[in-house]
Amino acid sequence: MASSHSSSPVPQSNSSDAFFKKEMDATKLFRPVQSLPDVCPKEPTGNVGDPNNLCDSPSLVVDQHRWTIYHSKVNLPAALNDPRLAKRESDFFTKTWGVDFVDTEVTPSFYLPQITKEHFALYQQEITPREKVHERCKNICTPKDTFDRTLLHTHDKSRTDLEQVPKIFMKPDFALEDSLTFNAVLPWSHFSTAGGKGNRDAASSKLLQEKLSHYLDIVEVNIAHQISLRSEAFFHAMTSQHELQDYLRKTSQAVKLLREKISKIDKVMCEGSLRVLRLSLTRNNCIKAYNKLKLMATVHQTQPTVQLLLSTSEFVGALDLIATTQEVLQQELQGIHSFRHLGSQLCELEKLIDKMMIAEFSTYARNDLNRPLEDDCQILEEERLVSLVFGLLKQRKLNFYEIYGDEMIITAKNIIKQCVVNTVSQIEEIDTEVVVKLADQMRMMNFPQWFDLLKNIFSKFTIFLKRIKATLNTIRSVVFLVLDKNQKTRDLEDTLQKNSAKDSTVDTEVAYLTHEGMFISDAFSEGDLPPVAADTTSQRNTSPNSEPCSSDSVSEPECTTDSSSSKEQTSSSVTPGGVEMMIGDDMKLTDLELVRLANNIQELLYNASDICHDRSVKFLMARAKDGFLEKLNSNEFVALSRLMEGFILDTEQICGRKSMSLRGALQSQANRFVNRFHEERKTKLSLLLDNERWKQAEVPAEFQDLVDSVSDGRISLPEKKSAATEERKPTEFLIVEGQKYATVGTVLLLIRIILEYCQCVDNIPSIATDMLTRLSDLLKYFNSRSCQLVLGAGALQVVGLKTITTKNLALSSRCLQLIVHYIPIIRAHFEARLQPKQFSMLRHFDHITKDYHDHIAEISAKLVAIMDSLFDKLLSKYEVKAPVPSACFRNICKQMAKMHEAIYDLLPEEQTQMLFLRINASYKLHLKRQLAHLNVVNDGGPLNGLVTSDVAFYTGNLQALKGLNNLDLNMAEIWEQKR
């Protein structure tokens, strides 16, 4: 049982089977499974003298930091194979897990195949010849390094022996004084003699002593082995020590001779030359110190110089001086104790300059916007403005334009207030002591006074916007100059980068002159410097014999710019106003920021236009509170609309963008005007229709002239009646393009109203769509109302007519035809004033034209129906008998003559003929029905002769009427056709 602790899991066999030999060789690659370390074993595990039979325990040195299975708390094989037990305790597991636990066989897995020796047969057949060849070659070829193999074997054997020693003895802190260590090495259980286990404990103590002796032997053997291995090296080192001492003695003597020679060479050849170099370096250092002191004296004058520049509002120069001084302090005068507070003082001074520039710009904006508008000067102090803008850009104060925008709002309010005050003061009717508020004073003005005030405000706003545009254009030009400078700087940098490859050769040659981090050229005078270095130094230093800068001098700011003169470049730029400015490279603004600033300034100009429009809208709304604007007549509103449109166009031309507030207010007032305009005329038309008796009216000369002007293409109303027009007599008909139109007075006034709509559209183009809708409504109203009065006989109750005669119907039809004649002209007029997207509204005229034609057709049908009822009444009583012509046909011819007499002068001849053809067709239909009822046929009999005589009488009378002589009556249709 004890052999299980030292047995290896790898099969080992002495047979010549190649398979097991191969597995035996594989043990070199895999570490064998080691048993649990047993410091005090209770049973011997093998022959103590044979190291191979010792317990294969973990190595204390190798395995002390690696976890193995021996660190587990329970060793199941050890628990089951305890040699101290007299008999196997079979109830160890059966107490809990059941009686059949020990004897139960494990069921083979269904997923793992049963592996037998036959599975390795093919592998053995393939590997056996190779193994034989390998063994043959190994026996033929002797090992090249027998000593290394032996040493390796010995090392492995020694390591295996040491691994048998428990790890507790290998610990660096091993001490028997520690109670835990002592108990682990010498457990008290081995020395207990209680009970019947005395003999057994004595044996265990003896075994423990033997075990410890065995461990001591292993350690002593390994120590002796290590000493034997290193004995040759020890004696070799002792021998080499004497040779090394001889070499060191000779080397010391050689070094001593060399040092003596170098000392002589140093005294003879080098000491004088080095002294010259040291003196030259000292001289240059003195010059540098002198120049540094001059620079310090100049920097000391920075604050007085800045104050002097600020007194003359030279903000850009002061900021440049501060920036240059800060750069000098950080680079060339860094660490100077006397200037330790100057940097913070300059920073505070720079913040003060920022506040001063903002306050100065606010003052400039206030002075620029509030100066008298009669002044012709567009830009106030352009040089001052440009200087302020450059300073603000330099300090990245990019929101300065907001100050100008706030001042614009305040100034716009003041302009309106001042204009109202000036106008009110000139009107004697307004008592300013009684009426205190300006808005109430303004509402007391009549239209001409208020119109002049509005015109004055618009003119002031126009000048105001022009000044703002000029100022903002100057500011934008400064921004664009800086942007252009940035672009040129980038182009220059790109060019320098391309040329840097050519300069690399010169840099390489200069690098050869360095020694211990110092240029050799620094040891010589400035006249011997290379050209590049001399140019740079000449800008910074003066000659050794020059005097230092005066301490009270403020006219030499160039002394403070020596460190940045080779880095910053300035370029001269001219603004549109002719102001020349020097732009430095220290404008640290990106192109995106500058473009955004330029856009914001342009947007500020748009805002100025919006501000003027908004203030104008508030002025209009203040006057419109009492309905003043809605009470204006057409001429007054047209004048107001033209004034506002002119101001809107002027602002759009100045600012380059449309402002919709004033246009929207104008549109709103125009809509109200249109509503009132339309309601007045619709009411007027309604009153005219309600009083119309539908009799032909005389046409005054002014209406004929109005119609003639429309025919000539001029859709406008005459301003005043001329004397010649008043002397001309009215005519019976209205002549329109050679045709006579008999009309009523309502239609003449309707034509004038229509022309008023068209002229209003010409005067106020923005209301074209509203006017079109209202005019369409007016025309529809006239059509429907006239239909109710004439066809619907509403005039009988409204006007008191006794009956609606055929003359009334014919006159109504002719009036409708006159309106239809002008609808295409009206449509073309509106089409020329509408946007293409609004052309769909013209369909209203098509609908109106259709309605009017339908109405005219209904009137014609009504006239035919009147005669049709007459024919039905008379012909139903017709009898074929003498005398001829019969009374029925006489009455029919009489009524036909009356009809002709009523409509001939009203309707054109073509319409009269078409109407009588329809009446004749109705006559033939009733006559044919009556003849069929009387059984009169076309057989040449007496009845046929009587009917033919009556028809001939009817035909002769009808064709005798004026304009109907060529009418084809086709009376043969009254007879039934023979089948």
Side-chain angles (χ1 to χ4, degrees):
M1 295 176 63
S3 62
S4 62
H5 294 278
S6 60
S7 61
S8 175
V10 181
Q12 299 179 2
S13 176
N14 295 327
S15 64
S16 61
D17 195 342
F19 174 74
F20 292 99
K21 287 182 179 180
K22 197 69 177 178
E23 291 295 329
M24 185 175 180
D25 294 339
T27 59
K28 299 179 181 180
L29 301 176
F30 300 97
R31 188 178 185 85
V33 179
Q34 300 172 353
S35 61
L36 189 69
D38 189 4
V39 177
C40 301
K42 299 174 184 179
E43 291 289 337
T45 57
N47 188 7
V48 177
D50 190 1
N52 295 328
N53 295 328
L54 294 177
C55 179
D56 191 9
S57 301
S59 174
L60 180 64
V61 179
V62 178
D63 299 331
Q64 59 178 339
H65 300 296
R66 184 172 63 87
W67 189 93
T68 64
I69 60 173
Y70 303 106
H71 290 82
S72 59
K73 298 301 181 181
V74 178
N75 192 339
L76 187 60
L80 297 177
N81 300 325
D82 190 354
R84 295 177 297 176
L85 296 178
K87 61 179 181 177
R88 178 75 174 268
E89 294 182 0
S90 60
D91 60 346
F92 183 78
F93 296 102
T94 57
K95 290 180 181 180
T96 303
W97 297 341
V99 181
D100 298 333
F101 173 76
V102 178
D103 298 333
T104 301
E105 295 182 0
V106 180
T107 305
S109 175
F110 296 102
Y111 303 100
L112 298 177
Q114 292 293 332
I115 304 300
T116 60
K117 197 171 184 180
E118 285 74 12
H119 286 85
F120 299 94
L122 180 60
Y123 174 73
Q124 290 179 354
Q125 292 177 4
E126 293 179 355
I127 206 65
T128 300
R130 301 179 185 177
E131 183 69 19
K132 290 179 180 180
V133 174
H134 174 69
E135 291 294 336
R136 191 182 304 113
C137 293
K138 187 168 62 174
N139 295 332
I140 295 173
C141 299
T142 58
K144 295 182 180 180
D145 193 356
T146 307
F147 174 77
D148 292 342
R149 284 186 155 190
T150 304
L151 185 62
L152 181 61
H153 176 70
T154 305
H155 175 71
D156 293 341
K157 183 178 179 182
S158 301
R159 182 177 180 180
T160 304
D161 293 341
L162 286 175
E163 288 178 352
Q164 297 180 10
V165 180
K167 295 181 180 180
I168 191 171
F169 294 105
M170 302 297 181
K171 291 183 177 179
D173 56 347
F174 177 80
L176 289 176
E177 291 83 358
D178 187 7
S179 59
L180 296 177
T181 304
F182 185 83
N183 291 333
V185 176
L186 298 173
W188 289 101
S189 61
H190 293 279
F191 302 98
S192 177
T193 58
K197 297 182 181 180
N199 296 330
R200 184 177 178 181
D201 290 339
S204 297
S205 300
K206 184 177 180 180
L207 181 62
L208 174 62
Q209 184 177 0
E210 293 177 357
K211 189 70 172 180
L212 293 176
S213 300
H214 176 65
Y215 292 160
L216 179 59
D217 294 339
I218 291 174
V219 173
E220 289 178 350
V221 168
N222 277 275
I223 292 174
H225 178 67
Q226 293 295 330
I227 292 174
S228 64
L229 291 177
R230 291 165 175 76
S231 61
E232 184 178 356
F234 175 76
F235 291 111
H236 177 71
M238 294 298 297
T239 305
S240 301
Q241 179 69 22
H242 297 289
E243 297 179 359
L244 182 61
Q245 290 180 355
D246 295 337
Y247 289 149
L248 289 176
R249 190 180 301 107
K250 294 178 180 180
T251 303
S252 176
Q253 294 176 357
V255 170
K256 183 178 180 181
L257 293 175
L258 181 60
R259 286 180 175 178
E260 293 177 355
K261 293 180 180 180
I262 291 176
S263 177
K264 294 178 181 180
I265 293 173
D266 180 53
K267 292 180 180 180
V268 175
M269 301 181 64
C270 300
E271 186 174 355
S273 301
L274 291 176
R275 185 170 179 274
V276 172
L277 291 176
R278 282 196 297 270
L279 292 176
S280 178
L281 289 175
T282 303
R283 178 178 178 274
N284 286 337
N285 290 336
C286 292
I287 293 174
K288 291 178 180 179
Y290 170 73
N291 292 331
K292 192 74 70 176
L293 291 174
K294 287 173 58 179
L295 185 60
M296 291 174 63
T298 306
V299 169
H300 185 66
Q301 296 296 322
T302 298
Q303 289 179 319
T305 306
V306 170
Q307 294 175 0
L308 180 62
L309 292 173
L310 292 180
S311 63
T312 59
S313 299
E314 290 290 338
F315 298 106
V316 178
L319 290 172
D320 289 338
L321 181 57
I322 291 175
T324 306
T325 305
Q326 290 278 25
E327 185 177 358
V328 171
L329 289 175
Q330 294 174 2
Q331 294 181 1
E332 300 191 17
L333 298 182
Q334 187 177 9
I336 302 299
H337 187 71
S338 59
F339 289 152
R340 64 186 184 278
H341 300 303
L342 183 58
S344 59
Q345 293 173 358
L346 292 178
C347 291
E348 293 298 327
L349 190 59
E350 189 173 1
K351 293 179 182 179
L352 177 62
I353 292 175
D354 292 346
K355 296 179 181 178
M356 292 178 62
M357 284 194 300
I358 293 176
E360 186 73 13
F361 185 79
S362 178
T363 304
Y364 174 84
R366 192 178 303 109
N367 296 336
D368 179 49
L369 296 175
N370 292 324
R371 57 198 170 103
L373 296 173
E374 293 78 11
D375 189 4
D376 295 335
C377 180
Q378 292 289 335
I379 304 176
L380 178 66
E381 300 179 8
E382 184 177 0
E383 294 182 359
R384 177 186 174 193
L385 174 63
V386 172
S387 176
L388 282 172
V389 173
F390 270 114
L392 292 169
L393 292 179
K394 184 179 180 64
Q395 295 302 106
R396 300 181 62 85
K397 302 296 181 182
L398 303 183
N399 59 344
F400 64 90
Y401 62 90
E402 297 177 358
I403 300 173
Y404 200 82
D406 297 338
E407 290 295 333
M408 287 192 310
I409 298 175
I410 298 173
T411 306
K413 294 180 182 179
N414 294 334
I415 287 175
I416 293 181
K417 183 177 180 180
Q418 190 63 37
C419 290
V420 174
V421 170
N422 294 338
T423 304
V424 169
S425 62
Q426 298 174 3
I427 301 175
E428 298 178 356
E429 292 81 2
I430 300 176
D431 190 357
T432 57
E433 295 180 358
V434 178
V435 183
V436 179
K437 293 184 178 180
L438 285 177
D440 296 336
Q441 296 174 2
M442 179 189 64
R443 294 190 188 98
M444 296 180 66
M445 301 179 185
N446 55 28
F447 178 77
Q449 294 171 345
W450 181 81
F451 185 78
D452 293 337
L453 173 60
L454 182 62
K455 185 185 296 184
N456 186 25
I457 291 174
F458 284 164
S459 63
K460 298 289 186 183
F461 274 154
T462 302
I463 300 174
F464 177 66
L465 289 176
K466 289 180 179 179
R467 286 186 177 178
I468 292 176
K469 181 179 181 181
T471 303
L472 294 181
N473 283 343
T474 302
I475 297 176
R476 290 186 77 221
S477 65
V478 173
V479 175
F480 285 131
L481 285 176
V482 177
L483 184 62
D484 183 62
K485 176 60 180 177
N486 289 350
Q487 183 65 35
K488 292 180 179 179
T489 303
R490 284 197 302 272
D491 295 341
L492 181 60
E493 290 176 354
D494 294 340
T495 305
L496 293 177
Q497 288 178 359
K498 293 179 181 178
N499 297 333
S500 61
K502 300 179 181 179
D503 298 337
S504 60
T505 306
V506 178
D507 297 338
T508 305
E509 294 176 356
V510 174
Y512 281 112
L513 300 177
T514 59
H515 175 68
E516 295 182 357
M518 182 188 301
F519 278 98
I520 298 299
S521 57
D522 291 341
F524 301 97
S525 63
E526 295 181 5
D528 298 334
L529 289 176
V532 176
D535 293 341
T536 306
T537 309
S538 62
Q539 297 178 7
R540 182 177 302 148
N541 303 326
T542 58
S543 62
N545 299 325
S546 61
E547 294 293 330
C549 294
S550 175
S551 59
D552 59 349
S553 174
V554 295
S555 62
E556 295 182 18
E558 65 275 3
C559 295
T560 63
T561 61
D562 53 358
S563 63
S564 59
S565 60
S566 61
K567 300 177 183 179
E568 296 183 4
Q569 297 179 356
T570 58
S571 62
S572 176
S573 301
V574 181
T575 62
V579 180
E580 184 175 357
M581 292 298 297
M582 302 301 293
I583 305 176
D585 288 341
D586 54 349
M587 291 285 185
K588 304 302 181 182
L589 294 173
T590 62
D591 291 353
L592 181 60
E593 291 175 333
L594 292 172
V595 171
R596 186 184 295 115
L597 178 59
N599 293 335
N600 291 336
I601 295 172
Q602 183 63 34
E603 191 68 26
L604 187 61
L605 180 60
Y606 301 151
N607 294 340
S609 176
D610 294 338
I611 290 170
C612 293
H613 282 232
D614 293 340
R615 302 313 304 179
S616 300
V617 169
K618 290 183 179 181
F619 179 77
L620 289 174
M621 293 300 103
R623 189 65 182 92
K625 280 187 177 180
D626 55 354
F628 173 76
L629 299 180
E630 298 177 5
K631 299 176 183 179
L632 299 179
N633 57 37
S634 299
N635 294 330
E636 291 174 345
F637 188 83
V638 167
L640 176 62
S641 175
R642 287 179 177 176
L643 178 62
M644 296 175 67
E645 286 287 348
F647 176 68
I648 292 172
L649 294 177
D650 290 340
T651 56
E652 290 177 1
Q653 184 178 5
I654 294 172
C655 301
R657 191 179 71 173
K658 295 182 179 180
S659 296
M660 303 307 298
S661 57
L662 185 59
R663 193 182 297 275
L666 175 60
Q667 186 66 37
S668 176
Q669 293 298 327
N671 292 337
R672 296 178 184 177
F673 168 76
V674 169
N675 291 333
R676 182 181 57 80
F677 181 88
H678 176 65
E679 291 299 329
E680 289 179 355
R681 280 146 185 80
K682 188 174 182 180
T683 303
K684 181 179 179 180
L685 179 62
S686 177
L687 293 174
L688 291 173
L689 287 173
D690 290 342
N691 295 302
E692 181 60 58
R693 303 189 64 86
W694 297 99
K695 292 183 178 180
Q696 184 177 358
E698 293 182 345
V699 180
E702 60 173 317
F703 284 97
Q704 185 62 53
D705 294 339
L706 188 64
V707 170
D708 294 339
S709 66
V710 174
S711 301
D712 296 337
R714 300 190 308 274
I715 301 179
S716 60
L717 296 174
E719 296 181 358
K720 294 181 181 180
K721 295 181 181 180
S722 61
T725 303
E726 293 179 354
E727 294 175 359
R728 291 164 54 189
K729 294 181 179 181
T731 58
E732 187 178 0
F733 295 97
L734 183 67
I735 308 301
V736 179
E737 296 181 358
Q739 292 188 11
K740 293 181 179 181
Y741 284 90
T743 63
V744 295
T746 301
V747 174
L748 292 176
L749 294 175
L750 177 60
I751 293 175
R752 183 180 180 86
I753 291 173
I754 292 173
L755 294 181
E756 288 178 354
Y757 276 83
C758 296
Q759 187 174 13
C760 191
V761 171
D762 288 338
N763 296 329
I764 312 174
S766 60
I767 62 174
T769 55
D770 292 335
M771 277 296 183
L772 189 150
T773 305
R774 301 303 193 282
L775 181 57
S776 301
D777 179 66
L778 187 72
L779 294 175
K780 290 178 182 178
Y781 176 77
F782 173 77
N783 184 39
S784 61
R785 185 61 178 159
S786 62
C787 181
Q788 293 173 4
L789 293 174
V790 180
L791 279 177
L796 300 180
Q797 292 80 20
V798 176
V799 186
L801 296 179
K802 295 180 179 180
T803 182
I804 301 298
T805 62
T806 56
K807 191 169 185 178
N808 298 137
L809 291 171
L811 186 60
S812 175
S813 176
R814 193 57 174 163
C815 291
L816 293 173
Q817 293 174 24
L818 178 61
I819 301 301
V820 170
H821 173 77
Y822 282 107
I823 287 178
I825 300 175
I826 300 171
R827 176 193 174 101
H829 181 79
F830 276 91
E831 184 176 4
R833 287 150 184 82
L834 291 177
Q835 300 293 332
K837 61 182 179 181
Q838 299 172 341
F839 285 168
S840 59
M841 299 185 66
L842 297 174
R843 67 181 185 278
H844 294 299
F845 291 112
D846 299 333
H847 298 161
I848 293 171
T849 303
K850 182 178 180 301
D851 294 341
Y852 273 67
H853 282 301
D854 293 342
H855 190 184
I856 294 171
E858 289 178 4
I859 294 176
S860 300
K862 183 65 176 178
L863 292 173
V864 176
I866 292 174
M867 298 304 297
D868 183 78
S869 62
L870 180 65
F871 293 150
D872 183 47
K873 179 180 179 182
L874 295 177
L875 290 176
S876 63
K877 301 177 181 180
Y878 173 63
E879 295 181 356
V880 183
K881 62 181 181 179
V884 177
S886 63
C888 176
F889 272 76
R890 287 196 200 96
N891 289 334
I892 290 174
C893 291
K894 182 179 179 181
Q895 294 299 328
M896 295 285 278
K898 288 183 179 180
M899 169 68 76
H900 181 270
E901 182 181 1
I903 68 174
Y904 181 77
D905 293 334
L906 301 178
L907 298 179
E909 185 175 345
E910 296 81 4
Q911 294 184 20
T912 305
Q913 292 177 358
M914 292 299 298
L915 181 61
F916 273 90
L917 282 175
R918 294 178 61 186
I919 294 173
N920 180 61
S922 176
Y923 164 76
K924 290 188 293 183
L925 181 62
H926 287 282
L927 180 58
K928 182 178 181 180
R929 188 182 300 119
Q930 184 63 22
L931 292 177
H933 176 69
L934 297 176
N935 293 321
V936 178
V937 296
N938 189 14
D939 56 358
L943 295 177
N944 179 263
L946 292 175
V947 172
T948 303
S949 299
D950 286 337
V951 170
F953 174 76
Y954 165 79
T955 304
N957 277 278
L958 186 59
Q959 291 182 346
L961 296 176
K962 188 176 181 180
L964 303 180
N965 52 351
N966 297 324
L967 200 63
D968 185 10
L969 300 178
N970 194 12
M971 299 304 298
E973 294 180 354
I974 64 175
W975 305 106
E976 290 285 346
Q977 300 294 330
K978 294 182 179 181
R979 297 181 180 177

